[in-house]
Amino acid sequence: NGLDKEIADLEKKKAAKDKDIASLQSKIVSTQKSINKNTSQGSLNSKRRQIASCESDIAKKSKDSADLGKKKETLRCILETSKRTAE
C-alpha cells in the first residue's frame, strides 16, 4: 500500500534526524569535557561557538523530527480510517 510505504519512509527520516540529534548532543558533551582551567580564552570562545552551533542544529533537527512524527501519525490515522471503511 502506498500509505504504508510513505509511513515507513517518514519513520526512516525521523530516525535519521534523531540519530543526528544524538550525535550533536555527544559532540556538545565532548566539547564541554575538553574545557578546563588551562583552556585559553580564544579556545574557550571557539568551543562556546561550537556548542552554540550544535545547539542551534539540535533545535532545527528536533523541529524537523517532530514534524515528521506528526505527518506519520496523520498518515496512520488516514490508513486506519481507510481500513475500517474498507471492512
Side-chain angles (χ1 to χ4, degrees), residues 9-79:
D9 186 47
L10 289 171
E11 286 174 344
K12 194 174 181 180
K13 287 179 182 178
K14 186 178 183 317
K17 294 281 182 197
D18 293 343
K19 185 178 176 185
D20 289 345
I21 291 167
S23 175
L24 287 164
Q25 289 170 331
S26 294
K27 189 174 179 181
I28 288 173
V29 169
S30 174
T31 302
Q32 288 172 332
K33 285 183 178 180
S34 72
I35 297 170
N36 61 45
K37 65 180 182 176
N38 298 319
T39 304
S40 71
Q41 189 61 48
S43 181
L44 181 61
N45 291 341
S46 174
K47 290 176 188 291
R48 285 183 176 156
R49 280 191 303 275
Q50 288 173 354
I51 290 169
S53 175
C54 287
E55 288 171 340
S56 174
D57 288 348
I58 286 172
K60 289 175 196 165
K61 289 181 187 294
S62 293
K63 182 188 179 313
D64 291 346
S65 177
D67 289 346
L68 289 168
K70 287 176 192 171
K71 287 179 187 174
K72 182 182 75 172
E73 288 309 310
T74 300
L75 288 178
R76 275 204 177 127
C77 288
I78 291 169
L79 183 62

